[in-house]
Amino acid sequence: MPEDKPLRSDARRNRDAIVSAARAVFEERGLDAPLKDIAARAGVAIGTLYNRFPTRDDLIAAAVEDRIEAGGRIAEQALAIPDPWEAFVYLVEMICELQAGDRLISGLAVRAAPSTAIAAAQATGHTVMRQIITRAQQSGALRADWVLEDIAFITWSHTRILEATATIAPTAWRRHLALTLDGLRADAAHPLPVPPLTEEQLMESLRRPHPESRS
């Protein structure tokens, strides 16, 4: 959350404690964890939390601001891979690996960006991802009817697979992803029954309500 002026030392300590507690609680219980539990973990009153972070999205943005550039770095690394199909596979695999290792990032995959700064970083990453997809399609490796918005189906399903298997078979998601990637090869393509989501439909899906507790 941008600061209009420097915080007093006690206010800074409170803010840092809240953000640290938010990261821990969100990682343990997901991004819809009760905010009162975060305040308790930070050792502050719930009113203090809301004074610093008026909305849940404000707090989520502060909690993930040190990690959000990871997706952009993955896209840039993938773009540098000469083989178009290998670049596409690297992109998808590393996004899924990032989700598997970080519940905050995984939670962001199923909701709208919590701040304009994060939305801008995501938009930059999407520009590079579109280049990777186009290159893979032009090479004849990736099915021609696949679009960037379709990656939501991978990240959404990946999130649910992680929830179901993380403590039982933590690498099971790799099997599902391998099956998915095989289905995306151009030579395995069959006509798809319905058109892809539009960008507007995708954003509407991400903006769907999430439970939020102020107590």
Side-chain angles (χ1 to χ4, degrees), residues 51-196:
N51 185 50
R52 293 303 315 148
F53 303 100
T55 71
R56 179 179 295 271
D57 277 354
D58 291 332
L59 183 54
I60 291 172
V64 304
E65 65 184 359
D66 65 336
R67 310 178 190 195
I68 201 61
E69 293 181 359
R73 288 195 298 271
I74 287 171
E76 293 288 352
Q77 291 164 1
L79 190 62
I81 297 173
D83 183 270
W85 175 253
E86 293 302 321
F88 175 74
V89 169
Y90 178 87
L91 172 70
V92 178
E93 285 184 343
M94 292 304 295
I95 288 173
C96 288
E97 190 168 294
L98 186 64
Q99 282 186 259
D102 193 325
R103 192 169 183 182
L104 272 71
I105 297 297
S106 186
L108 280 179
V110 295
R111 66 196 304 148
S115 73
T116 54
I118 290 176
Q122 290 176 339
T124 299
H126 289 172
T127 297
V128 180
M129 290 164 69
R130 290 184 194 278
Q131 296 178 42
I132 294 167
I133 291 167
T134 299
R135 190 175 64 161
Q137 289 171 329
Q138 290 176 343
S139 75
L142 176 64
R143 58 187 302 156
D145 55 358
W146 203 79
V147 298
L148 176 60
E149 286 72 23
D150 286 327
I151 204 168
F153 294 124
I154 296 177
T155 56
W156 291 345
S157 62
H158 186 53
T159 297
R160 301 305 173 227
I161 290 167
L162 291 173
E163 291 175 353
T165 64
T167 61
I168 302 168
T171 61
W173 64 269
R174 294 187 181 278
R175 179 180 176 87
H176 173 264
L177 180 59
L179 292 168
T180 300
L181 288 170
D182 272 352
L184 293 177
R185 291 182 181 272
D187 57 7
H190 294 281
L192 295 172
V194 295

